[in-house]
Amino acid sequence: MPRAFLVVMDSVGIGGAPDAAQFFNGDTPDTGANTIAHIAKAHPGGLQLPALDALGLGASLHLASGAMAPGLSAKPTGLWGCATEVSPGKDTPTGHWELAGVPVPWQWHTFPDETPAFPPDVVEAVKRAAGTDGILGNCHASGLRIMRDLGGEHLRTGWPICYTSADSVFQIAAHEQAFGLDRLLDLCRTVAPMLHDMRVGRVIARPFVGDEDSGFRRTPNRRDFAIPPPAPTLCDWVQGAGGKVHAIGKIGDIFSMQGIDDVAKGTDAQLMSHLFDAVDNAGDHSLTLANFVEFDSLYGHPRDPSGYAQALEWFDSRIAALLPRLRDGDMLLLTADHGNDPTWHGTDHTRERVPVLIAGLGPGELGQIAFTDIAASIAAHLGVPAQGPGQNRLPPHLTRTP
């Protein structure tokens, strides 16, 4: 019986987006950004990703951007292609919603790259909800850097650290113990409706621990308060047809739990264990949707190509161990939601095409497809009616009739 596993390798782009010149890091357009190709060139000996490459990663890279990458030259044994996004954004909700069949119909609100970045009414709303006399930050910043720079002042004043990026986000960092995790989540939950009304896509709680002497570090208890998708997504299609939808990582937050039955969270290593559990135990006609965020958060935004390469090689080794556990009728589709080239200018996402690598359905080339085609193809595999604009790209003999 069919099952589907949609695994999003957060920010693992492969260059070649036709509209990259319209997206920027600072004053630099994203033209020429290529997460996988540039990491491979920067990494001694190239990238060693035998499982992903065998599924078609190197081939999809060349198809997307014309680039060749050291270490990625295998003849594909899976169904493979690349996907192009059409929504006017390169952020996480936009990418995930479109992968799930729903392009974003509006322009997100972003805050100006100046200090202060936030309008006075937003600052006052945060102060009122937090019960503090002020906030820290109020600027564009790297999350890891601002936590280290302002963590000590946060402990002394009790004021929340508020910052943003080129994406449509309002992020609040606070010490999980001194400020309180529940208090931080309540703060984000309280101010989220106001920011959502402004078309700010996400209010993100960024808890951390530590002190100035030992250093500050994030905890796994991040929480995204996102605008709900504007139309039913793949998750709703599957759930509406009677299938279970299991979320791994921040998927529940991204989709505001719309169409989600249950969620498992943790570090990427813990999420991989949850994915193994899902492959072993998920029921027939189910969809498991997973996001592995640390490529993006720990290595893409901080511009760490070496760390990114090591994370990719770890991920590849775990996928190699996972593949033999797939059952007959399983579809494992690996893709990404956007790029985040760690060799690029600035600290923000990069506009790129993404790989589409499918295990369990035999070999073949899908070509250049749309993000929404991924949702339609998964729906066709599960025999679920698709409700979005995408097209089923699976060969006819692999398509089930709803």
Side-chain angles (χ1 to χ4, degrees):
M1 302 298 286
R3 303 185 302 170
F5 302 88
L6 174 56
V7 177
V8 180
M9 304 176 291
D10 202 304
S11 85
V12 180
I14 50 177
D19 58 356
Q22 301 173 32
F23 296 83
F24 292 82
N25 264 260
D27 295 329
T28 303
D30 287 343
T31 309
N34 195 318
T35 300
I36 285 291
H38 290 162
I39 292 172
K41 291 176 181 176
H43 195 52
L47 284 169
Q48 304 303 311
L49 307 174
L52 296 176
D53 196 25
L55 290 175
L57 180 59
S60 69
L61 169 67
H62 185 67
L63 176 65
S65 59
M68 304 292 290
L72 302 178
S73 58
K75 180 179 179 180
T77 59
L79 271 175
W80 64 276
C82 65
T84 304
E85 187 174 13
V86 299
S87 298
K90 55 177 179 175
D91 56 279
T92 294
T94 298
H96 281 76
W97 292 358
E98 193 168 326
L99 289 171
V102 180
V104 175
W106 56 67
Q107 187 74 40
W108 295 104
H109 176 79
T110 58
F111 295 103
D113 191 0
E114 56 191 41
T115 303
F118 307 126
D121 58 337
V122 171
V123 173
E124 287 303 316
V126 174
K127 289 164 54 179
R128 185 166 56 251
T132 59
D133 295 329
I135 66 170
L136 302 175
N138 201 349
C139 61
H140 280 235
S142 158
L144 294 176
R145 186 175 301 117
I146 200 170
M147 173 186 68
R148 293 163 184 157
D149 291 348
L150 296 181
E153 188 175 355
H154 166 71
L155 288 177
R156 289 188 291 273
T157 64
W159 294 3
I161 304 170
C162 301
Y163 62 101
T164 187
S165 72
D167 291 336
S168 181
V169 294
F170 186 87
Q171 307 193 70
I172 307 179
H175 198 279
E176 192 166 285
Q177 296 156 349
F179 189 89
L181 177 59
D182 289 342
R183 183 183 174 198
L184 172 60
L185 297 179
D186 286 342
L187 168 59
C188 292
R189 188 180 294 108
T190 299
V191 301
M194 175 185 186
L195 288 149
H196 291 167
D197 287 344
M198 297 168 60
R199 290 298 189 209
V200 176
R202 287 177 295 162
V203 175
I204 306 177
R206 293 285 196 178
F208 62 91
V209 294
D211 54 46
E212 288 183 283
D213 293 332
S214 63
F216 297 105
R217 61 191 183 279
R218 286 175 170 171
T219 76
N221 294 319
R222 162 183 171 158
R223 175 79 183 274
D224 292 35
F225 296 84
I227 294 177
T233 71
L234 172 65
C235 302
D236 300 293
W237 310 346
V238 173
Q239 203 177 61
K244 293 290 187 181
V245 179
H246 310 293
I248 295 175
K250 60 180 184 176
I251 295 298
D253 294 337
I254 293 168
F255 289 89
S256 297
M257 290 304 294
Q258 185 173 303
I260 306 293
D261 285 290
D262 51 65
V263 179
K265 292 188 174 184
T267 64
D268 273 13
Q270 292 168 329
L271 299 183
M272 186 60 75
S273 295
H274 294 314
L275 181 58
F276 271 70
D277 288 342
V279 168
D280 290 344
N281 299 309
D284 295 339
H285 302 287
S286 65
L287 168 68
T288 298
L289 179 50
N291 170 281
F292 287 83
V293 71
E294 291 178 4
F295 301 120
D296 183 66
S297 62
L298 298 187
Y299 310 112
H301 290 299
R303 297 301 191 247
D304 179 3
S306 177
Y308 206 133
Q310 293 175 45
L312 283 167
E313 291 179 348
W314 167 81
F315 183 84
D316 185 84
S317 70
R318 301 308 298 141
I319 292 299
L322 182 71
L323 292 175
R325 302 167 83 130
L326 295 176
R327 304 175 190 168
D328 289 342
D330 283 351
M331 174 188 192
L332 171 66
L333 192 154
L334 299 117
T335 188
D337 52 345
H338 49 69
N340 200 346
D341 187 340
T343 72
W344 205 245
H345 313 273
T347 61
D348 294 311
H349 297 150
T350 43
R351 180 72 161 190
E352 302 179 43
R353 286 183 167 124
V354 299
V356 181
L357 313 175
I358 301 177
L361 302 184
E365 181 176 347
L366 298 171
Q368 294 186 359
I369 69 174
F371 270 37
T372 53
D373 294 345
I374 290 174
S377 300
I378 292 173
H381 171 73
L382 292 174
V384 169
Q387 302 171 35
Q391 301 179 51
N392 170 35
R393 297 292 184 170
L394 298 181
H397 70 282
L398 296 176
T399 299
R400 290 177 171 81
T401 302

